[in-house]
Amino acid sequence: TDSRDTNLIVFLSLFFNTFLPAKAGDLYRCHLTKRIYETTRSRVLGTVTVERVADIVVLGTGLIVSVLFVASDSFGRFGAVVGVTVAVLAVVSLGFVVLTSLPESLLPERLRGVVHEFQTALTVVRSPRILSITLVTTGSIWGLNVVRLWFIVDSLGGSLPFRQVVLVALLVSLLTGLPYTPGGIGFVEAGGASVLLSLGVGGAFATSVVLLDRLITVVTVGVLGGVVYTVLVVTDSQLLDETQLT
């Protein structure tokens, strides 16, 4: 596959996820991938599902570890976070197992082909090599969020210990990935500020850290994504024709 096309697809899906609820940008990714690579939407949706499950598993596991070991002195304040994260991991894991093992014979004839394509994409993780690459890549990408938050805290003149930066960054990343509101707007800011306040950070500094972090992640993707989308509409409107999403 052409890496330029792949980067374009992922970037535009992030752009739409920033402004549309329920991770609708992922559906747009399925549309663009089908048009560019001439594959089925159900197979692409299976690939996106694998990616989202990997996100939740990596972030959830990292968050639990950071509370239990990195921020062990704060466990009493974050016990509920660990409990909810464990529950989410259990539900996601169970759902993934059910989806991969659902017998096609139980489905209507007209749905069997679609479900087969979807399950084929899901079962790629049975390969140890693909599973390892997926988890390592996912962990590396989310790890960069920790680095970004560390630089933000440092640029604002703060002295937050790195272990606490890890905890905040992973929690914010997990909240961002859940389909509550477009880009997690509202939940991410409230969750990030609350964690910083519970760690003893002043209200003004906590607000500055959260808002600067969101300015970088949301506004940057929004502005650049808007420019890219506008250029593509002008140069190749058929590729981005929303009427072909259905």
Side-chain angles (χ1 to χ4, degrees), residues 149-150 153 158-165 168 196 199 201 205 209:
L149 189 62
W150 170 259
V153 171
S159 58
L160 197 64
F162 185 74
R163 59 177 184 170
Q164 295 182 355
V165 173
V168 175
L196 287 169
L199 292 172
V201 176
F205 185 75
V209 169

Side-chain angles (χ1 to χ4, degrees), residues 168-209:
V168 175
L170 293 180
L171 180 60
V172 167
S173 297
L174 186 60
L175 291 174
T176 303
L178 298 178
Y180 297 123
T181 59
I185 295 174
F187 288 92
V188 172
E189 291 80 5
S194 297
V195 173
L196 287 169
L197 290 174
S198 68
L199 292 172
V201 176
F205 185 75
T207 302
S208 299
V209 169

Side-chain angles (χ1 to χ4, degrees), residues 24-210:
D26 290 344
L27 298 179
Y28 205 81
R29 185 194 306 190
C30 295
H31 164 67
L32 283 182
T33 304
K34 177 183 182 297
R35 294 294 309 280
I36 293 176
Y37 295 122
E38 298 182 350
T39 185
T40 62
R41 289 193 182 94
S42 54
R43 186 180 288 267
V44 180
L45 183 59
T47 303
V48 173
T49 300
V50 170
E51 178 188 337
R52 291 307 174 199
V53 171
D55 287 340
I56 293 175
V57 169
V58 169
L59 289 173
T61 302
L63 183 60
I64 292 172
V65 171
S66 68
V67 173
L68 294 178
F69 297 102
V70 180
S72 58
D73 58 328
S74 305
F75 179 76
R77 286 171 284 176
F78 296 102
V81 173
V82 173
V84 172
T85 304
V86 169
V88 170
L89 288 175
V91 171
V92 169
S93 300
L94 178 61
F96 189 80
V97 171
V98 171
L99 288 174
T100 55
S101 59
L102 183 65
E104 294 179 22
S105 59
L106 299 179
L107 301 171
E109 185 70 31
R110 62 188 179 87
L111 294 179
R112 291 180 183 178
V114 175
V115 173
H116 176 74
E117 291 285 334
F118 180 74
Q119 289 182 324
T120 299
L122 293 182
T123 53
V124 297
V125 295
R126 293 178 180 174
S127 165
R129 175 177 174 275
I130 293 178
L131 179 60
S132 300
I133 292 174
T134 301
L135 293 178
V136 170
T137 303
T138 301
S140 300
I141 292 172
W142 289 117
L144 292 175
N145 285 4
V146 177
V147 176
R148 183 189 68 241
L149 189 62
W150 170 259
F151 280 122
I152 289 174
V153 171
D154 184 66
S155 67
L156 293 174
S159 58
L160 197 64
F162 185 74
R163 59 177 184 170
Q164 295 182 355
V165 173
V166 171
L167 175 61
V168 175
L170 293 180
L171 180 60
V172 167
S173 297
L174 186 60
L175 291 174
T176 303
L178 298 178
Y180 297 123
T181 59
I185 295 174
F187 288 92
V188 172
E189 291 80 5
S194 297
V195 173
L196 287 169
L197 290 174
S198 68
L199 292 172
V201 176
F205 185 75
T207 302
S208 299
V209 169
V210 171

